[in-house]
Amino acid sequence: MEILKSRLLIRPRDVAASTAFYRDTLGLAVEREFPGGTVFFLGHGSLEVSGAGETGSSPDLVLWLQVRDLAGTLADLKAKGLEPVQDAQRMPWGLDEAWIADPDGTRIVLVEVPEGHPIRTDTR
């Protein structure tokens, strides 16, 4: 199988609130919009917020977002009124992580790969 592009689809209970969260609070760039939905850039993939969900987030789903500056990202989010579920800390596997949640409770881990970590790459 050859994968050409990937996209995660989220069906929130409140599309407007979730769209505003990903666009305005997280500041994700819009890839495209269509009636009833918005697709956001997520590095090498995309996040589509569309449709209407009924059950909310699954505790088994986690959105993993790598950022360049975790402390700066958290400061920006706190300035917008978003309090992290878990503040930044170095994990036993060597990554710096902080946890937030979207309006439906979807768990989002913000990750900074510190200097010297084996998976660190600069894709600029």
Side-chain angles (χ1 to χ4, degrees):
M1 171 177 13
E2 181 181 11
I3 306 299
L4 301 178
K5 181 148 173 80
S6 64
R7 182 182 305 173
L8 173 65
L9 282 68
I10 294 180
R11 303 283 189 236
R13 287 179 281 189
D14 184 336
V15 174
S18 290
T19 300
F21 173 81
Y22 288 103
R23 182 192 59 227
D24 304 331
T25 304
L26 294 190
L28 299 182
V30 173
E31 183 176 333
R32 67 183 185 92
E33 296 176 294
F34 56 91
T38 304
V39 179
F40 297 96
F41 284 107
L42 280 185
H44 294 289
S46 301
L47 171 70
E48 179 178 317
V49 178
S50 64
E54 297 177 13
T55 61
S57 177
S58 165
D60 298 329
L61 174 69
V62 176
L63 182 57
W64 193 94
L65 301 177
Q66 182 179 344
V67 298
R68 288 192 190 278
D69 176 11
L70 184 56
T73 298
L74 282 177
D76 290 345
L77 292 174
K78 287 177 180 180
K80 294 177 181 179
L82 180 68
E83 284 301 317
V85 174
Q86 175 186 307
D87 266 317
Q89 60 183 308
R90 174 80 37 98
M91 303 308 287
W93 42 90
L95 298 175
D96 296 335
E97 298 183 1
W99 291 77
I100 61 173
D102 79 0
D104 275 339
T106 300
R107 298 178 312 145
I108 302 168
V109 58
L110 304 174
V111 178
E112 180 178 340
V113 181
E115 290 288 338
H117 193 280
I119 66 170
R120 184 173 178 92
T121 59
D122 186 352
T123 59
R124 286 184 285 173

